[in-house]
Amino acid sequence: MEGAAIREKPNIWALLPVKRLKGAKQRLSPVLSEMERTELARAMLLDVLLALRHAWGLAGVAVVTADTEARNLARQHGATLIGETDGGLNEALDNARLTLHAQGATSALIVHGDLPLATAEEITTLIDAHPPGPAATFVPARDGGTNAMLTTPVDPFPLSYGEGSFARHKAAAEAAGLATASLVLPGLQLDIDTPEDLAELLRRGAGGHTMDYLLASHVATRLQQAAGNSSGSEQ
């Protein structure tokens, strides 16, 4: 019981930034129509919301967005809403972290909405692995981005999302005197930005809203056939 009391002490809030869903994921334009990209973004957001909702150790989930549909989905899943500023992702999240701090949060877990293989189990693993005291725990993306980041306190350093952000965030955490840890969590490491990412998702063949959409819409079949034809033409 004593150990359980210690584990329940941190007030950890998840922050989930969501861009405009309509026409999202422009880098997938070569293989998906605008409507397909919109539906894919919506399905991935649902998968992440469900993973966060069922993870152990979170005091709450706050969605940072100006998108009407994303706000409606957030409400349906019990998430708090924080308005998005006009200054881009880093400014929006920095402002959101200030909001959480003012409301008494001790830690912030930033997770992005394009992680269709995210699970409650992996998020709980991330929370459990977070060092005590001032600390930052990361799950880097396969391309060097930052797919998940848990910090105590909520806002120990300015955010620097963009290409290669993991290295910048880790360096900033160390410069701020935080203990750091990095985890390899396969579900959280796969963000969907490119046709190659989408192919990897189909290769893994996991469940969830995203895979349900890709299968029901026949997008998966079309992409797999295209990949087969491309492979055959190279032989």
Side-chain angles (χ1 to χ4, degrees), residues 56-76:
W56 183 94
L58 290 174
V61 177
V63 174
V64 184
T65 188
D67 184 85
T68 300
E69 185 175 8
R71 291 172 70 87
N72 289 336
L73 291 173
R75 290 191 189 97
Q76 292 170 20

Side-chain angles (χ1 to χ4, degrees), residues 60-207:
V61 177
V63 174
V64 184
T65 188
D67 184 85
T68 300
E69 185 175 8
R71 291 172 70 87
N72 289 336
L73 291 173
R75 290 191 189 97
Q76 292 170 20
H77 288 271
T80 297
L81 292 170
I82 297 178
E84 182 181 11
T85 60
D86 296 329
L89 177 62
N90 291 314
E91 181 180 307
L93 283 173
D94 279 335
N95 288 334
R97 294 193 303 174
L98 290 175
T99 299
L100 291 186
H101 179 76
Q103 294 176 352
T106 62
S107 307
L109 169 62
I110 300 175
V111 178
H112 297 275
D114 58 352
L115 308 173
L117 298 184
T119 65
E121 291 76 17
E122 284 195 346
I123 293 169
T124 301
T125 296
L126 170 59
I127 293 170
D128 285 343
H130 189 59
T137 303
F138 304 96
V139 179
R142 300 186 305 164
D143 62 358
T146 312
N147 280 357
M149 175 171 61
L150 173 56
T151 64
T152 305
V154 170
D155 53 349
F157 53 84
L159 296 173
S160 184
Y161 282 100
E163 186 176 354
S165 67
F166 166 64
R168 292 192 299 275
H169 285 146
K170 188 172 185 293
E174 292 171 346
L178 276 62
T180 63
S182 302
L183 302 181
V184 176
L185 297 171
L188 287 174
Q189 286 185 296
L190 180 62
D191 54 328
I192 306 301
D193 287 315
T194 67
E196 292 75 21
D197 297 331
L198 200 53
E200 175 64 14
L201 174 63
L202 294 174
R203 187 189 68 78
R204 296 195 194 183

Side-chain angles (χ1 to χ4, degrees), residues 36 39-47 50 116-117 198 201-202 204-222 224:
E36 289 169 339
E39 291 301 313
L40 175 66
R42 182 181 186 277
M44 291 194 295
L45 173 58
L46 281 171
D47 282 330
L50 284 171
L117 298 184
L198 200 53
L201 174 63
L202 294 174
R204 296 195 194 183
H209 286 280
T210 303
M211 283 301 299
D212 286 348
Y213 165 69
L214 292 173
L215 293 170
S217 64
H218 304 293
V219 169
T221 300
R222 189 184 78 225
Q224 288 167 339

